[in-house]
Amino acid sequence: DPEVRAQLVGELTSRASDFLNARLIDAMSDETVEHFSAMLDDESTTPEQVQNFITTNVPNKDQVIAKALAEFRLLYLGDRA
């Protein structure tokens, strides 16, 4: 059923995003997480500002993302992917 498939894809995408965000936050120092949290609480913060903050404050961002996506793939898709 295409509707069920779309719902499952949406849920999986949301979980992947949450998983990735958690790993990026784990890669930040406690002080940086405090600044990031305050930034996210500010309703005027744009997605571009969030992206710039992550790029600036997670120097190994690409490695963190690659590792997180590989980890997510194993957790949710197993060896079938």
Side-chain angles (χ1 to χ4, degrees):
D1 182 359
E3 188 175 310
V4 172
R5 183 178 180 350
Q7 182 180 0
L8 289 173
V9 168
E11 288 176 15
L12 194 59
T13 300
S14 177
R15 287 181 185 189
S17 178
D18 291 346
F19 191 86
L20 181 57
N21 289 335
R23 292 300 183 262
L24 287 167
I25 289 169
D26 287 346
M28 295 178 190
S29 69
D30 291 343
E31 183 179 328
T32 302
V33 170
E34 287 180 30
H35 290 291
F36 189 58
S37 180
M39 183 178 170
L40 294 176
D41 288 341
D42 182 349
E43 293 180 15
S44 69
T45 300
T46 66
E48 292 80 17
Q49 289 172 313
V50 171
Q51 183 63 40
N52 289 338
F53 186 91
I54 290 170
T55 298
T56 301
N57 292 285
V58 182
N60 58 340
K61 175 188 76 152
D62 293 336
Q63 292 171 331
V64 171
I65 290 171
K67 184 177 178 185
L69 291 175
E71 202 177 337
F72 181 84
R73 178 181 176 191
L74 280 174
L75 278 171
Y76 284 92
L77 304 176
D79 291 333
R80 299 176 311 191

